[in-house]
């Protein structure tokens, strides 16, 4: 590009300073709430009201013509520093979070938004996608440390047209990192809590590095906690860094790094029968014995991940702006399980192995082993857009490119005499092999996913009060893969395209009120595992297909906002229509955890989201939110050669009612917060013949600012109580089933029931934190 290249020179300074940054001390913790950060730029001034500041940090003013909720640093800094992003947004309307541990370290967690699952929610951090490229999941324990998060935006039901995500009918969670401080400084947080939880966090801000105009921060955290139930413990080390330079009125360039290294325990999901019989004692075993496949070390998951994001904004002239966001994602990890192997009678795909395998520790031809589910991902992409202000029109045009590889292997690793795996990472060079040296694997595939998109949007200011937005996004997704197991399948290729129109209208009623309406479209391709054959005992038990139908949805919203000096509120009515609704679940096949997708046919849902923030006095705020949701399946579910009579039933994992309350207080000496969440009944089967009961959780915090008693530098002492009422409940649906009870199909056949499984709600925990700025 030759156009205005001199504007890019300052941005280029970011990269060499990665090698020149020098750690320094002292940190100014004054946080910018940035209430309009992350909101869609509508081309006119956002609503501004002067009154009491928002001490709750849960309803910053929004201007986009769609439903948006947010939490900012005022709320985040009062919560337990161990919490992850999913736990933090749980209080916002529509968000239903099922956590298996109070500290948010385990990957055994789930989230739904307006009844739509975790693989239907896009997640961005500094504009870079965090979702898994093959399965669309995001893992909140890998995200940035909460001390570095400035704001989390929750967009229920829609995403920005330039967002690099697919499969986001449920909406989007967008994390913004705190900018590096103008002055040199440091922050140290030390925490200790229940279950021998220990956490240390250190952040250093450089201020301006020399005369480069670049400033940066670098942070490191180390977290360890025993499992709150059962044997085992979790460990997490994390590094965040951000380099930033700004110039002129609206030019900025930054690059952010987030590295996570963790070994976390898996909490076993439970069926209703096991829950009634055992309750919270349903755990993995603390000790290893001969034949014991329930030993906790066989379910301990190690993962390493690196995320890099480099957003750039350059004003090419007074009407034309260039935005570019490049990103990179790398990760490797193992989700293991305990199983058995025999020296003879094994299959590799459909091939019977004539020669016995070398199986260390085998007795009578059989041995316990660790089954590995290893994934190694690489993903790189870029979003580039130009925005032109031409009179009443604000026109945006851009391109998106994304390339990713996913190497998935289910292999086996031998165990030592004490039950510890020889290699907990499941690396192939230490895995069990066939007599002729091939990797013995249940699954062995590599998938390349290439996504290309183009978008065009126009935001039209028809008057000072009335605006209309229209846009069109075209997306093509190509998957190419290779199945390395012997059998009828080798190379696969799947390609799908979609045109996704959208429109919105907004009307400002005075200076503090807004009415908006919108219509959005979305689609998602099937998860990559649906493309491959799966084998058991030499037989194809699940046949992959490249002719699967995409999920397609149309959503609409009608909303109202009011932003006053003491009172702010937002009400949004919404409606969804789905075709080929894809619902993920987990199957157990010979000990291996097999992901599967159920096509639930067509579905409709509608409901109302509401949130209110009241600030009666300076330093005190109250927040209330809620959702009423109604869902309806429009088709019977095909099962075998018959149909299950599911038409008219409710969707799974879609509570009809959710309510939350939050409060925050800070008088300059004492501070505290409260977060209460109630979740209604949730069905776990398409026949609605099994469900979990409503439940509520309560988090509290109390603290004191000690700076005035010491040297004037920020020093805070805080105590957090997580889930203080400690209800013994099932917190969410882990895997759905078609029907729990035997049911007669439409064609008269008996369709046998199968038990769904659930997350066991986490226990109570207390965390004390001493925070000190230098």
């Amino acid at each position: 590009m030759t156009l205005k290249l001199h504007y890019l020179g300052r941005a280029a300074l970011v990269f060499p300073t990665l090698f020149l940054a020098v750690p320094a001390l002292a940190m100014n913790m004054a946080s910018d709430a940035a209430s309009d950060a992350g909101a869609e730029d509508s081309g006119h001034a956002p609503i501004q009201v002067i009154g009491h500041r928002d001490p709750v940090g849960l309803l910053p003013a929004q201007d986009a013509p769609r439903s948006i909720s947010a939490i900012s640093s005022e709320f985040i800094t009062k919560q337990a520093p161990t919490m992850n992003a999913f736990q933090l947004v749980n209080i916002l309307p529509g968000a239903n979070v099922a956590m298996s541990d109070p500290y948010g370290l385990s990957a055994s967690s789930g989230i739904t938004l307006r009844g739509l699952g975790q693989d239907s929610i896009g997640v961005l951090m500094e504009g870079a996608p965090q979702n898994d490229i093959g399965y669309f999941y995001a893992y909140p324990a890998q995200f940035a440390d909460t001390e570095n998060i400035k704001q989390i935006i929750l967009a229920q039901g829609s995403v920005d047209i330039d967002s690099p995500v697919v499969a986001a009918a449920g909406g989007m969670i967008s994390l913004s990192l705190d900018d590096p401080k103008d002055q040199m400084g440091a922050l140290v947080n030390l925490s200790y809590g229940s279950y021998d939880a220990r956490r240390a966090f250190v952040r250093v801000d450089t201020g301006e590095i020399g005369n480069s105009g670049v400033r940066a921060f670098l942070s490191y955290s180390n977290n360890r906690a025993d499992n709150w139930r059962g044997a085992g413990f979790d460990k997490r080390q994390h590094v965040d860094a951000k380099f930033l330079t700004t110039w002129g009125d609206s030019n900025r360039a930054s690059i952010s790094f987030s590295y996570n290294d963790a070994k976390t325990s898996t909490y076993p999901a439970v069926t209703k029968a096991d829950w009634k019989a055992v309750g919270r004692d349903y755990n993995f075993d603390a000790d290893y014995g001969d034949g014991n496949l329930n030993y906790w070390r066989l379910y301990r998951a190690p993962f390493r991940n690196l995320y890099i994001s480099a957003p750039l904004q350059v004003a090419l002239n007074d009407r034309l702006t260039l935005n570019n966001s490049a990103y990179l994602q790398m990760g490797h990890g193992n989700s293991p399980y305990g199983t058995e192997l025999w020296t003879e009678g094994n299959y590799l795909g459909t091939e019977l192995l004539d020669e016995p395998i070398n199986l260390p520790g085998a007795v009578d031809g059989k041995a316990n082993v660790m089954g590995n589910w290893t994934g190694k991902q690489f993903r790189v992409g870029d979003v580039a857009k130009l925005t032109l202000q031409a009179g009443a029109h604000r026109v945006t045009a851009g391109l998106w490119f994304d390339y990713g590889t996913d190497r998935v292997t289910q292999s086996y690793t031998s165990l030592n005499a004490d039950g510890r795996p020889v290699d907990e990472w499941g690396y192939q060079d230490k895995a069990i092999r066939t007599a002729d040296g091939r990797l013995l694997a249940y699954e062995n595939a590599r998938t390349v996913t290439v996504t290309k998109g183009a978008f065009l949007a126009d935001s039209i200011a028809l008057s000072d009060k009335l605006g209309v937005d229209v846009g069109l996004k075209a997306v093509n997704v190509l998957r190419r893969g290779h199945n390395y197991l012997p059998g009828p399948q080798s190379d696969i290729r799947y390609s799908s395209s979609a045109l996704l129109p959208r429109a919105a209208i907004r009307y400002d009623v005075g200076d503090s009120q807004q009415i908006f309406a919108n219509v959005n479209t979305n689609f998602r391709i099937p998860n990559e595992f649906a493309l491959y054959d799966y084998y058991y005992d030499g037989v194809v038990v699940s046949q992959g297909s490249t002719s699967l139908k995409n999920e397609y949805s149309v959503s609409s919203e009608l909303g109202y906002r009011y932003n006053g000096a003491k009172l702010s509120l937002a009400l949004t009515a919404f409606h969804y229509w789905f075709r080929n609704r894809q619902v993920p679940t987990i199957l157990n096949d010979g000990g291996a955890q097999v992901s599967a997708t159920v096509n639930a046919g067509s579905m409709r849902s509608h409901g109302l989201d509401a949130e209110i923030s009241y600030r009666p006095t300076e330093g005190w705020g109250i927040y209330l939110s809620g959702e009423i949701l109604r869902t309806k399946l429009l088709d019977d579910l095909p099962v075998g050669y018959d149909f299950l009579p599911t038409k008219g039933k409710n969707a799974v994992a879609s509570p009809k009612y959710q309510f939350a309350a939050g409060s925050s207080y800070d008088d300059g000496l004492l501070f505290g917060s409260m977060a209460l969440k109630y979740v209604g009944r949730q069905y776990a089967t398409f026949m609605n013949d099994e469900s979990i009961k409503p439940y509520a959780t309560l988090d509290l915090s109390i603290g004191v600012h000690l700076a005035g008693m010491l040297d004037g530098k920020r020093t805070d002492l805080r105590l957090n109580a997580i889930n203080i009422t400690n209800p013994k409940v099932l917190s969410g649906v882990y895997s759905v089933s078609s029907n729990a009870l035997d049911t007669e199909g439409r064609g008269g056949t008996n369709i046998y029931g199968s038990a769904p499984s659930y997350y066991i709600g986490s226990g109570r925990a207390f965390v004390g934190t001493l925070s000190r700025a230098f």
Side-chain angles (χ1 to χ4, degrees), residues 38-56:
E40 186 171 312
D41 192 345
S42 57
H44 61 96
I47 299 171
Q48 295 183 352
V49 177
I50 298 176
H52 295 314
R53 68 178 182 85
D54 177 17
V56 187

Side-chain angles (χ1 to χ4, degrees), residues 264-266 284 293-301 336-339 370:
T264 60
S265 300
T266 301
F284 294 119
L293 299 175
N294 206 45
Y295 183 43
W296 69 273
R297 289 188 182 275
L298 302 182
Y299 299 85
R300 183 170 167 78
Y337 55 91
T339 188
M370 184 174 75

Side-chain angles (χ1 to χ4, degrees), residues 639 642 644 739 741-753:
V639 178
D642 205 342
L644 199 65
N739 52 305
L741 305 175
D742 292 352
T743 304
E744 183 178 339
R746 296 291 190 190
T749 61
N750 182 43
I751 300 176
Y752 294 101

Side-chain angles (χ1 to χ4, degrees), residues 79-335:
Q79 309 312 304
T82 59
M83 283 188 167
N84 63 47
F86 285 1
Q87 290 173 293
L88 291 172
V89 302
N90 189 37
I91 199 172
L92 300 181
N96 174 26
V97 179
M99 298 302 302
S100 291
D101 75 292
Y103 296 131
L105 293 171
S106 173
S108 301
S109 63
I111 183 173
T112 63
L113 191 55
R114 291 181 177 173
L116 303 177
Q118 185 171 339
D119 63 336
S120 296
I121 302 170
V123 180
L124 302 180
M125 187 164 66
E126 289 290 285
Q130 307 295 294
N131 300 77
D132 185 293
I133 189 63
Y135 311 99
F136 308 121
Y137 278 80
Y139 306 96
Q142 300 172 3
F143 300 166
D145 284 323
T146 57
E147 292 93 339
N148 298 324
I149 297 177
K150 177 172 60 177
Q151 189 177 54
I152 304 177
I153 299 286
L154 179 68
Q156 303 97 334
S158 63
V159 301
D160 293 330
I161 197 169
D162 60 342
S163 298
V165 295
V166 293
M172 186 170 67
I173 299 173
S174 182
L175 288 75
S176 299
L177 296 186
D178 186 29
D179 283 345
K181 307 304 178 184
D182 293 328
Q183 303 297 322
M184 297 171 60
L187 175 70
V188 177
N189 284 348
L190 301 175
S191 302
Y192 184 79
S194 305
Y195 317 111
D196 199 23
R198 291 162 284 172
R199 182 179 186 269
F201 170 88
V202 179
R203 167 171 158 163
V204 176
D205 280 77
T206 66
E208 184 176 0
I209 302 173
N211 295 317
S212 65
V214 175
R215 46 198 167 100
F217 77 75
L218 174 68
S219 72
Y220 169 79
S221 68
N222 190 308
N223 198 355
R224 184 202 181 280
D226 290 342
N227 289 3
W228 74 272
R229 71 174 223 267
F233 60 94
D234 296 328
K235 295 176 65 177
R236 175 184 186 263
Q237 296 186 85
H238 191 90
V239 176
D240 291 322
K242 184 175 181 178
F243 296 78
L244 171 69
T245 182
T246 60
W247 67 100
D249 293 332
S250 57
N251 304 300
R252 60 182 283 137
S254 66
I255 183 167
S256 302
F257 300 83
S258 191
Y259 173 76
N260 196 73
D261 186 338
K263 295 178 182 179
T264 60
S265 300
T266 301
Y267 289 92
V270 65
T271 64
K272 270 292 188 70
D274 289 329
W275 174 248
K276 291 177 181 179
V278 184
R280 281 182 168 179
D281 292 331
Y282 187 84
N283 299 311
F284 294 119
D285 296 332
D287 300 315
Y288 178 73
D290 186 33
N292 181 9
L293 299 175
N294 206 45
Y295 183 43
W296 69 273
R297 289 188 182 275
L298 302 182
Y299 299 85
R300 183 170 167 78
F303 277 87
R304 292 192 181 108
N305 305 85
L306 173 65
Y307 300 92
I308 301 176
S309 174
L312 166 71
Q313 178 173 299
V314 178
L316 301 177
N317 56 44
D318 58 354
R319 296 194 304 155
L320 187 63
T321 301
L322 168 68
N323 289 87
N324 192 84
S325 183
Y327 56 86
L328 181 144
Q329 177 186 127
M330 301 171 64
H332 173 76
N334 189 13
S335 296

